[in-house]
Amino acid sequence: MMTGMIRRTVRYSGHVQGVGFRYTAARAAGNFSVTGYVKNLVDGRVELVAEGEPREVEAFVAEVARLMGDKIRKAASDDTAASGEFGDFCIQH
């Protein structure tokens, strides 16, 4: 566990696959001090996991919502303690 860091898992539903969602999120992550991943789920949702300081994670998730908001119908998120397991932010396949 990393002190002062959080892990936010967000599962987006809507028209979020096949629209560049993962690439947009990965590109946006480069502007924030976050690590984690984004991937498509078999049920048609997209899962995003971001770890970092709460302010950075908040800003990153808000930026993803701003960039892809017209495709997102619902976003369900939960926060836990950061694990520190990620070295960067990437697209998982």
Side-chain angles (χ1 to χ4, degrees):
M1 184 168 67
M2 299 177 66
T3 306
M5 307 287 250
I6 64 164
R7 174 187 189 126
R8 177 164 298 165
T9 302
V10 187
R11 290 181 186 94
Y12 298 97
S13 56
H15 185 57
V16 293
Q17 289 191 11
V19 294
F21 194 106
R22 292 174 303 159
Y23 297 97
T24 300
R27 205 166 40 247
N31 297 320
F32 301 93
S33 295
V34 296
T35 60
Y37 67 85
V38 61
K39 72 177 180 179
N40 285 342
L41 299 176
V42 294
D43 64 6
R45 294 179 300 163
V46 170
E47 179 179 76
L48 180 146
V49 172
E51 289 191 355
E53 293 182 3
R55 184 184 326 182
E56 287 291 305
V57 171
E58 287 280 345
F60 169 54
V61 170
E63 179 69 357
V64 171
R66 186 185 72 77
L67 293 168
M68 299 304 293
D70 60 329
K71 309 292 185 202
I72 299 166
R73 184 170 39 83
K74 183 179 174 199
S77 70
D78 63 277
D79 291 357
T80 56
S83 67
E85 67 190 274
F86 308 110
D88 60 3
F89 191 93
C90 66
I91 295 171
Q92 283 189 353
H93 298 279

